[in-house]
Amino acid sequence: MTESAGEGERLMRKLVVTDPSETSAPRRSWIPAPRRSPENNVVPRRRMVRCRLSVTGFGLSAVFYCLSFTPSLLPRPWFLQGVVAGLTGAIGYAVGTAIGALVRLRWWPSRRVERIAWRLLFALLPVLILVFLWLGTRWQRELRVRLGMQPQQEYDALRTVGISLLTFGVLLLIARLLRLAAHGIARLLGRLVPESAAYCAGFLVVTMLGYGAFDGLLMGNLYTTADRSAALTDSGTGRGVVQPATTLRSGAPQSLISWDSLGRQGRNFVARVPSVEQLSAFNGRPASEPIRLYAGLASAEDVQGRAALLVREMDRTGAFGRAVVAVFTPTGTGWVDNDVTSSLEYMYGGDTALVSMQYSYLPSSISFAVDRTKVTEAAAALITAVHDRWAAMPVTARPKLLIFGESLGTYGTEKTFGTAERMVEGADGILLEGPTFANPIHRQLTEGREPGSTVWDPHYAGLPIEFASRASELRELTGRQPKVVYMQNSSDPVVWWNPSLLWHRPGWLRGERGPDVTPDMHWYPVVTFWQTTVDLIFANKVPVGHGHVYKSSTVDGWAAVAPPVGWTVADTVRLRALLDH
């Protein structure tokens, strides 16, 4: 035992030279002499991944934590700010720990260096957190004022910090458990294969099992639960919604589509219609009874069947004899904003036929993440069926064919046409609100914008296509009338969210900012991605014209692509005031 220990000591002295007299070529190695265990004089093994907290991880976590309080597109409630802070702090800790492990491959800091680093962190961190809590409160108050919201009295700092620490702790615990599992697997495999191979295998096994559990068990069950819950909600009927008696609506006794098969959003669509008296009062002349037709998921077995059924409904009600036929691609649940539909009916005095079709029970966010093919198939089936029936009519007898999409509906509309040229040729007017980052035509048009124009308000001269970051700018258009209008609020996270925010500064945060984007917002790797992700939750809880709320601003969009004869800017302002009332 003594002889082997002595031999080990001589080998270590060959690696680590501390006395120049021991060699003819004095040279100092960068590898420090490891400490020996006092019991048996055996050199303990260095561990690249340690159980105690990493000083580099903790330091970068503190930086990410503080930066999470900087402003983003929309104001954040205290509990969402806590989630963002804890999440970004945990990611910062993971990145910092990885950096620390890489550094230790070349240089192992002494205990004294680590103690100094920890003392600096404990001295500076409380001050930094207090400063950023104060700045975060001020930034959130200013952002609310910028968006026309009531300023928040006080930012609940204590509860924000509590939520953030809880989020950080839970994520750290999960990471430690995964690492412990990988280490256990590596120790078992280490009896059969080299240590490095064992640890790689342990990491891969845990990663695959973790992904399988997350995707198969957690996400699968969440999706199933969400689908069942949404289906249950869809079977209900909104307050004040009753079955229409007029033959001009789906779900009426004479309709080819039963009331029960429409679903909750379909029943809202056909029941909440301006009355003839309201339409007449606004226009100052007798109005027509509007036509509204809708097919729910239970109305037919598949999308093709539902689309064909709606065309038959249109023939039954005389829809193609109206001045306007409009096809609406709804959001994930089948919802269509009633301000969007009502504005078109007010503009044309009820001489309209509006058609829509449900393709999912789930909200757009879940449908977008899980299965976008549903909206693509539904939009293609309905738009194609209506367009073919419309195109078969004599040109002089055709009504105006208009198409509308919002959020996920814009994606389905774009995928139906395929190119910008086909969109222009395929209808008399197309209005798209809040397009997503995945929209292929929107992305192509934005990247091909005129030099000098901004990402949030691009100019495109090649085709009659117009972008508007503010609805009011559509009233100032000159030249040819656009056939396609994109309405995209500069503070709408649905438009600007993109996975590349993790590592790439977006164009909308370069140069001139959008009219409702605070100049205090800046891009930070990882942090801005999670801030914008949380903004999606709050996107529909801001005033009209900000976030993902368009509503009455759609009047400006319709007036740009399909104004009735004699329609004026004053009429637009008057109708917006009526809808906002």
Side-chain angles (χ1 to χ4, degrees):
M1 179 69 182
T2 305
E3 181 179 351
S4 61
E7 181 64 20
E9 183 176 353
R10 283 193 295 273
L11 289 174
M12 291 306 300
R13 284 183 177 275
K14 291 180 181 180
L15 293 175
V16 183
V17 179
T18 58
D19 188 354
S21 63
E22 293 185 13
T23 178
S24 59
R27 185 174 58 182
R28 200 170 183 84
S29 173
W30 49 265
I31 305 177
R35 301 179 181 87
R36 296 181 176 85
S37 172
E39 290 81 5
N40 52 17
N41 202 33
V42 176
V43 178
R45 180 184 168 198
R46 296 281 190 184
R47 294 176 59 184
M48 301 307 297
V49 180
R50 298 169 294 175
C51 291
R52 62 178 182 271
L53 290 176
S54 164
V55 64
T56 54
F58 201 76
L60 193 58
S61 174
V63 173
F64 276 35
Y65 184 88
C66 291
L67 291 178
S68 72
F69 288 92
T70 58
S72 55
L73 291 172
L74 301 174
R76 293 187 295 273
W78 63 268
F79 55 91
L80 289 181
Q81 175 58 58
V83 172
V84 172
L87 185 59
T88 54
I91 294 174
Y93 182 82
V95 175
T97 302
I99 293 174
L102 292 175
V103 168
R104 288 195 297 274
L105 290 174
R106 301 291 298 174
W107 174 72
W108 198 289
S110 66
R111 294 272 181 102
R112 182 171 179 271
V113 172
E114 287 193 22
R115 283 197 298 268
I116 293 174
W118 277 115
R119 287 171 183 172
L120 287 174
L121 281 176
F122 283 127
L124 295 176
L125 187 57
V127 177
L128 283 175
I129 291 178
L130 288 175
V131 168
F132 274 88
L133 279 172
W134 174 76
L135 288 173
T137 302
R138 192 189 71 178
W139 284 325
Q140 293 297 318
R141 184 179 294 116
E142 291 175 352
L143 186 55
R144 293 176 70 89
V145 172
R146 175 180 287 273
L147 300 185
M149 304 170 66
Q150 288 294 326
Q152 201 169 15
Q153 295 300 319
E154 288 297 334
Y155 208 61
D156 200 327
L158 184 60
R159 288 194 287 181
T160 297
V161 173
I163 290 292
S164 66
L165 293 178
L166 178 62
T167 303
F168 180 87
V170 169
L171 293 175
L172 182 62
L173 177 61
I174 293 173
R176 288 295 175 92
L177 291 175
L178 292 175
R179 191 181 71 179
L180 182 63
H183 182 71
I185 294 173
R187 292 192 64 179
L188 291 175
L189 295 176
R191 302 172 182 177
L192 305 174
V193 297
E195 184 181 31
S196 58
Y199 272 94
C200 288
F203 174 78
L204 290 175
V205 169
V206 170
T207 300
M208 294 176 63
L209 290 176
Y211 176 79
F214 176 80
D215 184 61
L217 298 178
L218 181 61
M219 296 305 297
N221 288 332
L222 285 177
Y223 175 79
T224 302
T225 302
D227 188 62
R228 290 175 180 173
S229 176
L232 183 62
T233 301
D234 187 69
S235 64
T237 302
R239 181 178 299 179
V241 173
V242 297
Q243 183 178 12
T246 173
T247 61
L248 301 180
R249 312 280 166 75
S250 293
Q254 302 84 356
S255 173
L256 302 175
I257 302 174
S258 68
W259 174 252
D260 292 336
S261 73
L262 292 178
R264 184 185 187 91
Q265 300 301 339
R267 289 188 279 273
N268 290 340
F269 182 85
V270 300
R272 293 176 174 171
V273 184
S275 66
V276 174
E277 292 75 19
Q278 291 173 316
L279 298 174
S280 300
F282 176 81
N283 289 280
R285 61 179 183 273
S288 303
E289 181 74 32
I291 296 175
R292 287 204 193 184
L293 307 175
Y294 193 96
L297 286 175
S299 299
E301 293 184 358
D302 53 29
V303 292
Q304 299 297 334
R306 292 194 289 273
L309 185 58
L310 277 172
V311 172
R312 290 168 55 199
E313 274 280 84
M314 295 177 75
D315 288 332
R316 180 187 66 81
T317 56
F320 291 101
R322 294 300 177 101
V324 168
V325 168
V327 180
F328 293 78
T329 303
T331 61
T333 60
W335 175 79
V336 178
D337 191 338
N338 197 53
D339 279 359
V340 177
T341 52
S342 296
S343 59
L344 197 58
E345 290 164 336
Y346 273 107
M347 291 175 69
Y348 282 88
D351 195 11
T352 56
L354 312 185
V355 186
S356 187
M357 184 172 76
Q358 187 180 17
Y359 55 85
S360 174
Y361 295 124
L362 297 171
S364 290
S365 56
I366 301 178
S367 296
F368 181 85
V370 175
D371 188 4
R372 302 177 205 170
T373 59
K374 289 182 179 180
V375 63
T376 302
E377 293 172 354
L382 182 57
I383 292 174
T384 301
V386 175
H387 179 274
D388 289 350
R389 173 67 176 79
W390 169 82
M393 298 175 63
V395 175
T396 56
R398 292 176 185 170
K400 284 185 179 180
L401 178 60
L402 305 180
I403 296 174
F404 174 85
E406 180 175 356
S407 190
L408 187 57
T410 66
Y411 176 80
T413 302
E414 284 194 5
K415 295 291 283 186
T416 298
F417 288 99
T419 66
E421 291 77 11
R422 290 178 181 173
M423 280 206 307
V424 171
E425 297 169 358
D428 293 305
I430 297 179
L431 180 59
L432 302 174
E433 293 183 347
T436 73
F437 81 93
N439 286 31
I441 299 177
H442 178 267
R443 182 172 61 250
Q444 179 186 3
L445 292 172
T446 302
E447 292 173 352
R449 66 187 183 277
E450 291 183 359
S453 62
T454 61
V455 174
W456 46 270
D457 192 11
H459 298 162
Y460 194 84
L463 293 168
I465 297 176
E466 185 67 29
F467 291 80
S469 60
R470 289 176 295 181
S472 57
E473 58 186 85
L474 293 172
R475 307 171 195 173
E476 304 166 2
L477 294 179
T478 57
R480 60 179 175 175
Q481 178 181 322
K483 294 194 69 175
V484 178
V485 168
Y486 283 93
M487 300 184 68
Q488 49 185 32
N489 296 331
S490 56
S491 60
D492 186 354
V494 174
V495 178
W496 309 119
W497 184 91
N498 195 304
S500 65
L501 285 172
L502 279 167
W503 64 85
H504 177 70
R505 183 173 68 169
W508 49 275
L509 283 178
R510 297 180 182 179
E512 184 182 359
R513 303 291 178 86
D516 55 352
V517 176
T518 173
D520 294 319
M521 182 181 181
H522 302 284
W523 176 78
Y524 303 103
V526 179
V527 176
T528 303
F529 170 82
W530 289 114
Q531 287 178 327
T532 310
T533 300
V534 170
D535 284 341
L536 293 170
I537 302 174
F538 200 64
N540 291 312
K541 298 178 176 62
V542 291
V544 176
H546 305 287
H548 198 55
V549 181
Y550 294 90
K551 290 188 172 292
S552 63
S553 61
T554 310
V555 178
D556 293 271
W558 287 131
V561 298
V565 177
W567 188 264
T568 65
V569 172
D571 294 325
T572 297
V573 174
R574 190 163 57 94
L575 181 52
R576 287 199 60 173
L578 174 66
L579 295 175
D580 287 335
H581 182 67

